[in-house]
């Protein structure tokens, strides 16, 4: 008979075998990082540029530029490109974030050469046909209008605006008319200025063929793609809203989307790891206090969580949930109660142990497989950091005690320092 | 190629193991052969509500999630019209914790009125968050009863209405457990850098002592052959109109499933596919167009879905789609076009095999269909589809008498 009353013994890995990427620099200066691994003959190549929307001269330029790399080059039409990508069963991954922009491609090894050939052409010699751009923007406008009906989407965009102000690229909220006002020449200029090896790094992950570096050198490392100059980044003045509680009404909403949070700092701050762990206790996993209280104990929501967003030039903390309009205020009351409890009520030994064990497992999971490892490496490389950043997190996790968690909450997550946003309806006042 | 070993316990539980040397994590997937199709028509949404209750404690365990978190594990579950699937990933050396937790909730749940009441609320919020408070969120609540008249696929897994969820009582929950949650009705798969002998020993230790019960006899009403076109027009406060054409098509286990699946890829998988190229790129009348199969275990639906730009009416859009569907059924796909969709299937399949958890889920699913090794024959089946068969399937499917048409209109666009 199995002994069912108590859990079987468990072991925890406190040392994670970090696999450092193999580093190389191509002739034109492009830094390359190789992360070998996996069971299937597949790989991913990604070029990351320090060219996010922060650098764009007007809305949607970065986003359109990245997404239109596949819409025509000096040598091929959009139709020919999509035929080739589809023929080889390739997945493209276009990403336009606030700080970085990237183009990735997932490919079966056996199709690597022709796909890499196309990939380099898209990156180096796109032509951004006017007609393709208009079609793309028309479809994106359509999508934007649909998103504008979603309380969760609205909450995310309004909240960023509250944190950074409407003029700052981190806070700018897209307007419907923006989709009609993109000029093709801006894409051409943006590409010319920012998409070059001097402003980039390349990540290759998966089962790598032996000649991978030769291939990369041939396709991405030559003088036909020279490193340009990197100018100094633009300067913006941010302005956090003075209102502490904001309601954006959405008539007919059945649920309201709620965001509570504040600006803080990014992963380069000395207290970052500690804040990550403190945040996890509050709302970073299913066993967190917010989830246990507001979903599992009260049944007010399908889900609630909190997180830290690490931008290159700032960072912020947020709590996010969607709740029925009739229980919205009650849920908010509990959110503030938990923020208060975080800095006044120490985690019990059990609570802290569960949190630590979970985070170790989560950490291991987040490094599982070559593509995950590449993502983790990308996160720190963007900040010019190395793997010791993750070692630092593990040491912090090992040593942290409940007093330090409370202290961190008191320092950074005081309920009075939060901005509150409700999109939808607030319903009846709570207790 | 996902190599596996299989062992069936005397109580009927099927256990499959695949060794993946490339990960420090183990994946533990437990599939129960029960889904929304097994619900009573007056109690729709039950299987999914029950899934929520599986996390609320069992005979010997208080705090399923907490114990798993203590072992560095993460878990979740999903319910479909066909199955309920529970999955865990955790550091491989802590695998036994997953056996302890999952076997205990198969042994019995710690039911309580209070927990039931809370999870009813959570599911009601989920209903609102995912279906009612989203633009177009009620599409499948409309489309299913239009396409299915008798088969229980006529309701969605979340349920026909929140009222059905609200009415559930504790005795019904207990009965559902006894009927469906037992070893003979489940398939366990484990993947990770472990050895088979150890995994099977753990399976015997934790699941072997659970009593086997006679299997439920599934006797679902089959859907009568549709003989006339069906049509539903709704208006909603959405920014633009969409249309759906849903055609009855073969189930996943049917020999013609593969030709049908390739047909959907030819039509709308990728920017170079026929419908995307024609309507999104060239004519620019849709912002998006999709074609896909529901891929269910009983006969499913082939769905064509278009998002309309404002310049055309739903009627014009539908006419254009019909014309394209009839047209593609006339022409035989070219060699290159066929090669393209086969390559896409191969790539999707290969990428799905790069995740230990996905492999565990796939093995369980194909075992449910009769033999997990079918997973390893999939590519061969797609490769051997003849172009003629694709054309024949198009002709057989894309007929008005086989269509359920939904016009989901933006208010005031008529």
């Amino acid at each position: 008979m199995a002994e069912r009353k108590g859990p079987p013994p468990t072991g925890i890995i406190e040392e994670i075998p970090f696999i450092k990427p193999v580093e190389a620099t191509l002739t034109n200066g492009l830094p390359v990082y190789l992360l070998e691994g996996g069971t299937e003959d597949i790989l991913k190549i990604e070029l990351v540029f320090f060219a996010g929307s922060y650098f764009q001269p007007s809305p949607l330029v970065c986003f359109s530029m990245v997404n239109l790399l596949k819409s025509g080059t000096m040598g091929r039409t959009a139709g020919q490109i999509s035929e080739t990508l589809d023929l080889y069963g390739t997945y493209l991954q276009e990403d336009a974030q606030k700080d970085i922009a990237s183009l990735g491609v997932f490919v079966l090894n056996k199709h690597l050469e022709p796909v890499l050939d196309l990939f380099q052409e898209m990156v180096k010699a796109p032509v951004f046909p006017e007609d393709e751009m208009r079609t793309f923007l028309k479809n994106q406008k359509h999508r934007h209008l649909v998103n504008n009906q979603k309380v969760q989407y609205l909450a995310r965009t309004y909240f960023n605006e509250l944190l950074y102000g409407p003029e700052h690229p981190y806070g700018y909220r897209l307007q419907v008319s923006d989709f009609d006002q993109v000029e093709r020449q801006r894409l051409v200029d943006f590409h010319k200025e920012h998409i070059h090896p001097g402003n980039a790094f390349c990540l290759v992950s998966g089962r790598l063929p032996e000649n991978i570096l030769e291939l990369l050198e041939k396709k991405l490392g030559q003088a036909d793609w020279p490193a340009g100059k990197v100018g100094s980044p633009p300067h913006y003045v941010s302005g956090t809203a003075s209102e502490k509680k904001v309601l954006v009404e959405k008539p007919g909403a059945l649920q309201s989307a709620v965001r509570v949070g504040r600006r803080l700092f990014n992963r380069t701050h000395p207290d970052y790891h500690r804040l990550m762990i403190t945040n996890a206790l509050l709302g970073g996993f299913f066993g967190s206090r917010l989830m246990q209280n507001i979903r599992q104990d009260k049944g007010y929501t399908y889900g609630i969580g909190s997180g830290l967003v690490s931008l290159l030039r700032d960072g912020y903390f947020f709590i996010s949930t969607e709740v029925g309009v009739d229980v919205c205020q009650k849920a908010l009351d509990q959110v503030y109660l938990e923020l208060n409890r975080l800095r006044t009520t120490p985690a019990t030994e059990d609570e802290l142990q569960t949190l630590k064990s979970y985070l170790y497992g989560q950490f291991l999971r987040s490094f599982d497989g070559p593509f995950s490892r590449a993502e983790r490496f990308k996160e720190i490389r963007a900040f010019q950091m190395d793997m010791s950043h993750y070692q630092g997190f593990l040491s912090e996790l090992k040593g942290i005690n409940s007093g330090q968690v409370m202290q961190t909450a008191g320092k950074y997550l005081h309920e009075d320092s939060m901005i509150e946003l409700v999109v939808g309806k607030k319903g009846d006042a709570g207790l | 190629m996902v190599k596996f070993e299989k062992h069936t316990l005397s109580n009927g539980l099927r256990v499959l193991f695949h060794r993946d040397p490339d990960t420090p994590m183990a994946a533990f997937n437990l599939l129960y052969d029960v889904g929304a199709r097994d619900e009573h028509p007056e109690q729709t949404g039950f299987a999914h509500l029950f899934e929520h209750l599986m996390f609320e404690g069992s005979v010997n365990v208080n705090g399923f999630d907490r114990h798993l978190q203590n072992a560095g594990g993460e878990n979740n579950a999903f319910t479909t019209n066909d199955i309920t699937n529970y999955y865990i990933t955790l550091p491989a050396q802590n695998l036994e914790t997953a056996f302890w937790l999952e076997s205990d909730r198969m042994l019995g749940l710690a039911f309580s009125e209070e927990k039931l009441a809370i999870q009813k609320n959570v599911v009601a919020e989920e209903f609102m968050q995912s279906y009612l408070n989203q633009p177009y969120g009620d599409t499948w609540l409309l489309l299913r009863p239009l396409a299915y008249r008798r088969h229980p696929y006529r309701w969605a897994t979340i349920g026909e209405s929140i009222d059905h969820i609200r009415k559930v009582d504790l005795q019904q929950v207990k009965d559902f457990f006894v009927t469906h949650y037992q070893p003979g009705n489940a398939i366990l798969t484990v993947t990770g850098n472990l050895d088979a002998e150890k995994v099977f020993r753990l399976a015997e230790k934790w699941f072997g002592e659970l009593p086997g019960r006679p299997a439920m006899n599934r006797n679902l009403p089959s859907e009568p052959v549709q003989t006339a076109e069906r049509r539903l027009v709704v208006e909603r406060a959405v920014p633009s109109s969409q249309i759906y054409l849903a055609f009855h098509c073969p189930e996943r286990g049917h020999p013609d499933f593969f030709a049908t699946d390739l047909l959907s890829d030819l039509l709308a998988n990728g920017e170079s596919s026929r419908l995307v190229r024609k309507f999104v790129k060239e004519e620019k009348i849709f912002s998006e167009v999709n074609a896909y199969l529901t891929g269910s275990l009983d006969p499913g639906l082939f769905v064509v879905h278009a998002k309309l730009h404002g310049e055309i009416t739903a009627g014009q859009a539908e006419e254009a789609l019909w014309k394209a569907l009839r047209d593609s059924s006339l022409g035989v796909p070219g060699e290159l076009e066929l090669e393209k969709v086969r390559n896409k299937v191969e790539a999707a399949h290969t990428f799905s095999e790069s995740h230990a958890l996905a492999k565990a889920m796939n093995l369980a699913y194909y075992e449910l269909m009769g033999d997990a090794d079918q997973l390893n024959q999939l590519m061969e089946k797609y490769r051997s589809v003849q172009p003629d068969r694709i054309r024949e399937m198009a002709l057989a499917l894309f007929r008005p008498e086989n269509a359920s048409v939904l016009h989901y209109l933006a208010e005031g666009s008529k």
Side-chain angles (χ1 to χ4, degrees):
Chain A
M1 288 283 280
E3 172 46 52
R4 295 184 177 276
K5 289 293 169 199
T10 55
I12 281 302
I13 319 165
E14 296 189 355
E15 295 303 320
I16 308 255
F18 291 108
I19 301 171
K20 279 199 178 150
V22 174
E23 297 186 29
T25 306
L26 305 185
T27 306
N28 59 5
L30 179 69
V32 173
Y33 302 91
L34 307 178
L35 292 121
E36 170 85 41
T39 55
E40 308 301 313
D41 283 327
I42 51 179
L43 57 86
K44 179 185 183 187
I45 300 176
E46 184 172 17
L47 278 169
V48 183
F49 300 91
F50 292 92
S53 59
Y54 188 88
F55 299 91
Q56 68 192 6
S58 54
L60 290 169
V61 168
C62 170
F63 178 69
S64 306
M65 186 280 291
V66 173
N67 281 281
L68 289 166
L69 291 173
K70 63 170 180 288
S71 298
T73 66
M74 305 287 263
R76 304 185 218 212
T77 64
Q80 288 168 330
I81 292 172
S82 66
E83 280 290 345
T84 306
L85 290 172
D86 285 344
L87 176 62
Y88 295 117
T90 303
Y91 303 96
L92 271 195
Q93 191 181 62
E94 299 99 341
D95 196 12
Q97 299 179 10
K98 300 265 196 291
D99 298 304
I100 58 173
S102 69
L103 184 70
V105 63
F106 291 91
V107 60
L108 303 184
N109 287 24
K110 63 180 178 185
H111 301 315
L112 174 60
E113 291 209 32
V115 170
L116 186 56
D117 214 37
L118 174 58
F119 182 75
Q120 57 99 21
E121 203 176 307
M122 290 191 291
V123 173
K124 294 178 194 171
V127 291
F128 306 111
E130 179 81 29
D131 177 51
E132 294 287 340
M133 187 187 83
R134 290 289 153 228
T135 306
F136 171 75
L137 288 167
K138 184 180 175 188
N139 293 337
Q140 290 302 318
K141 181 177 170 181
H142 188 119
R143 183 175 283 194
H144 177 77
L145 288 168
V146 174
N147 282 336
N148 267 347
Q149 300 296 314
K150 300 177 182 171
V151 289
Q152 184 72 295
Y153 175 84
L154 291 171
R156 193 165 62 234
T157 56
Y158 274 98
F159 192 69
N160 286 349
E161 183 181 83
L162 289 173
L163 289 182
Y164 293 99
E167 306 299 326
H168 193 279
Y170 289 170
Y172 183 73
R173 198 161 50 77
L174 276 177
Q175 304 299 307
V176 178
S177 58
D178 290 340
F179 292 87
D180 303 322
Q181 289 166 7
V182 180
E183 291 167 34
R184 178 186 165 272
Q185 190 56 41
R186 294 228 151 133
L187 271 54
V188 174
D189 296 343
F190 191 81
H191 176 268
K192 191 173 177 194
E193 188 180 345
H194 299 287
I195 305 304
H196 61 79
N199 195 34
F201 61 92
C202 177
L203 288 169
V204 187
S205 48
R207 282 262 278 263
L208 309 180
E210 271 180 24
N211 63 343
I212 185 71
L213 272 176
E214 280 166 55
L215 275 175
L216 293 170
E217 176 65 35
K218 202 166 109 195
K219 305 288 184 189
L220 295 171
Q222 300 294 301
D224 70 322
W225 196 39
K229 271 196 209 126
V230 180
S232 51
H235 180 70
Y236 292 97
V237 179
S238 60
T240 300
S242 51
E243 306 150 276
K244 286 289 188 193
K245 290 182 195 292
V246 176
L247 172 68
V248 176
E249 293 230 37
K250 187 166 182 303
L254 300 173
Q255 283 186 319
S256 295
V258 171
R259 289 219 158 195
V260 172
R262 63 169 299 196
R263 278 174 69 175
L264 281 167
F265 42 73
N266 65 22
R267 61 172 72 245
T268 59
H269 192 279
D271 285 340
Y272 180 76
H273 296 318
R274 215 168 256 202
L275 185 63
M276 276 291 282
I277 297 162
T278 306
N279 167 69
L281 176 67
L282 176 71
F285 71 123
F286 196 83
S288 68
R289 289 177 173 186
L290 286 173
M291 195 68 140
Q292 290 304 309
N293 178 350
I294 294 167
R295 172 179 150 139
Q296 290 300 85
D297 190 57
K298 307 289 190 309
Y300 291 157
T301 182
Y302 178 47
I304 182 165
S306 67
L308 299 177
V309 174
S310 201
L311 298 159
L312 273 188
R313 291 162 187 84
D314 205 62
Y316 63 91
F317 159 82
F318 71 100
I319 296 168
S320 164
T321 185
E322 282 160 80
V323 292
V325 291
D326 52 329
V327 292
C328 182
Q329 189 55 52
K330 286 181 182 165
L332 273 166
D333 293 343
Q334 292 301 317
V335 164
Y336 289 114
L337 187 136
E338 289 299 343
L339 280 169
N340 178 286
R341 220 162 67 81
L342 195 64
R343 63 184 176 80
T344 54
T345 309
T348 62
E349 264 314 300
D350 281 356
E351 200 181 9
L352 195 64
Q353 197 46 55
T354 299
L355 176 70
K356 287 187 179 196
S357 305
Y358 173 78
L359 288 178
Y360 280 124
Q362 192 57 24
F363 199 78
L364 197 60
R365 200 172 288 110
S366 75
F367 278 86
D368 191 14
F371 301 142
S372 302
R373 285 197 288 277
E375 282 302 309
R376 297 294 82 71
F377 182 73
K378 183 167 86 176
E379 282 168 6
I380 53 169
R381 177 59 179 75
F383 285 86
Q384 315 291 347
M385 301 169 105
D386 61 27
M387 287 301 208
S388 64
H389 178 72
Y390 292 121
Q391 292 287 7
F393 176 79
L394 285 181
S395 328
E396 188 67 46
L397 186 60
K398 194 171 179 180
I400 198 167
N401 61 43
S402 55
Q404 291 165 330
V405 170
M406 277 201 302
Q407 201 183 28
T408 309
K411 204 166 163 188
Y412 299 118
L413 303 178
H414 197 293
E415 58 274 25
D416 295 342
S417 67
M418 298 293 159
I419 287 180
E420 172 193 305
L421 170 70
V422 174
V423 178
K425 290 191 222 163
K426 219 160 172 182
D428 302 330
L431 297 172
Chain B
M1 180 75 177
V2 185
K3 284 189 195 154
F4 65 92
E5 290 179 60
K6 180 181 163 183
H7 174 63
T8 305
L9 308 189
S10 58
N11 58 18
L13 180 70
R14 287 165 278 178
V15 186
L16 283 78
F17 169 71
H18 161 72
R19 187 167 172 275
D20 184 336
D22 192 55
T23 171
M25 309 297 292
F28 182 107
N29 190 80
L30 189 57
L31 180 155
Y32 286 95
D33 183 6
V34 57
R37 66 175 169 168
D38 299 306
E39 293 160 349
H40 190 277
E42 301 299 319
Q43 281 181 353
T44 64
F46 200 104
H48 169 252
L49 172 67
F50 191 88
E51 175 216 310
H52 278 244
L53 296 170
M54 283 284 278
F55 294 90
E56 298 303 304
S58 54
V59 185
N60 298 290
V61 178
N62 179 17
F64 178 94
D65 286 288
R66 184 169 49 85
H67 285 295
L68 192 62
Q69 286 148 9
N70 281 336
E74 175 72 285
N75 77 101
N76 212 332
F78 60 83
T79 306
T80 73
N81 294 76
D82 292 323
I83 61 165
T84 313
N85 192 75
Y86 299 84
Y87 57 96
I88 291 173
T89 58
L90 77 177
Q93 76 268 33
N94 292 345
L95 178 66
E96 190 160 6
T97 302
F99 275 98
W100 172 56
L101 292 169
E102 283 293 8
S103 66
D104 205 60
R105 55 183 187 176
M106 196 187 285
L107 183 65
L109 292 186
F111 301 106
S112 85
E113 294 285 359
E114 195 199 349
K115 285 172 177 170
L116 175 60
I118 289 174
Q119 289 307 314
K120 282 182 184 181
N121 279 338
V122 170
V123 170
E125 291 294 335
E126 182 181 357
F127 203 132
M128 284 195 274
Q129 181 173 326
S130 306
Y131 295 83
L132 304 184
N133 204 36
Q134 294 292 337
Y136 315 101
D138 62 344
T139 299
W140 280 94
L141 303 180
L142 301 169
L143 199 52
R144 284 189 172 278
L146 189 65
Y148 291 101
R149 292 292 156 90
R150 287 191 58 200
H151 191 281
Y153 285 164
R154 69 182 189 268
W155 57 81
T157 51
I158 193 74
E160 207 172 274
S161 79
I162 296 181
D163 285 345
H164 282 191
I165 301 295
R166 299 244 184 250
K167 282 190 301 195
V168 168
D169 71 39
L170 199 58
Q171 188 54 49
Q172 293 162 340
V173 171
K174 290 177 179 169
D175 294 345
F176 193 86
F177 179 81
V178 172
T179 312
H180 299 290
Y181 280 73
Q182 52 131 327
N185 210 37
I187 296 163
L188 168 63
T189 48
V190 175
T191 60
N193 194 4
L194 304 150
D195 61 74
E197 194 250 346
K198 184 189 171 189
V199 170
F200 293 139
R201 199 174 63 234
L202 285 171
E204 281 291 354
K205 175 180 171 185
W206 291 100
F207 286 94
E209 64 191 18
L210 270 56
R213 289 193 290 269
M216 175 203 64
N217 222 345
R218 181 176 279 124
N219 188 15
L220 301 177
S222 58
E223 183 63 22
V225 174
Q226 185 178 339
T227 52
E229 185 189 273
R230 296 171 189 166
R231 186 167 285 276
L232 176 67
V233 180
V234 297
E235 275 193 65
R236 295 283 190 273
V238 290
S240 52
S241 302
Q242 304 193 351
I243 60 174
Y244 285 83
L245 304 181
F247 304 94
H248 291 283
C249 78
E251 68 275 15
R252 192 176 279 275
H254 193 284
D256 279 328
F257 179 82
F258 304 96
T260 316
D261 197 22
L262 288 182
L263 174 61
S264 73
D265 287 344
L266 279 173
L267 286 172
N269 185 357
E271 295 205 357
S272 75
S273 60
R274 292 188 181 199
L275 299 184
V276 176
R277 205 177 51 214
K278 183 174 170 61
F279 295 125
V280 179
K281 298 287 170 192
E282 289 167 14
E283 298 180 12
K284 304 177 178 54
I285 57 171
F286 301 151
S287 69
E288 270 180 60
V289 59
N290 295 301
Y292 54 90
L293 280 61
T294 51
S296 47
L297 295 177
D298 288 329
L301 296 176
F302 187 117
V303 182
V304 180
H305 170 205
K307 301 182 179 179
L308 277 57
H309 278 307
E311 298 86 344
I312 56 159
T313 65
Q316 290 166 331
E318 189 189 332
E319 198 186 318
L321 274 180
W322 273 111
K323 215 174 143 206
L325 293 176
R326 300 283 183 94
D327 176 59
S328 79
S329 71
L330 296 177
V332 175
E335 258 316 304
L336 194 68
E337 194 178 15
L338 200 56
E339 184 59 21
K340 183 172 76 179
V341 288
R342 285 170 173 163
N343 282 351
K344 280 186 94 78
V345 169
E346 184 190 2
H349 185 68
T350 310
F351 277 96
S352 82
E353 291 194 348
S354 70
H355 302 284
L357 178 60
K359 282 188 277 197
M361 284 182 183
N362 287 340
L363 282 174
Y365 195 77
Y366 283 93
E367 180 64 23
L368 177 69
M369 285 175 56
D371 175 11
D373 201 44
Q374 284 178 27
L375 177 61
N376 294 317
Q377 294 153 21
L378 278 185
M379 275 324 302
E380 185 43 44
K381 287 185 175 157
Y382 279 105
R383 291 251 164 237
S384 61
V385 168
Q386 296 301 309
D388 280 353
R389 197 63 198 142
I390 297 180
R391 185 177 55 91
E392 286 160 15
M393 290 314 296
L395 285 171
L397 260 52
F398 303 143
R399 295 174 293 116
E401 314 86 81
N402 191 38
S404 297
V405 182
L406 172 63
H407 287 200
Y408 197 112
L409 304 180
E411 268 171 7
S413 69
K414 249 201 272 200

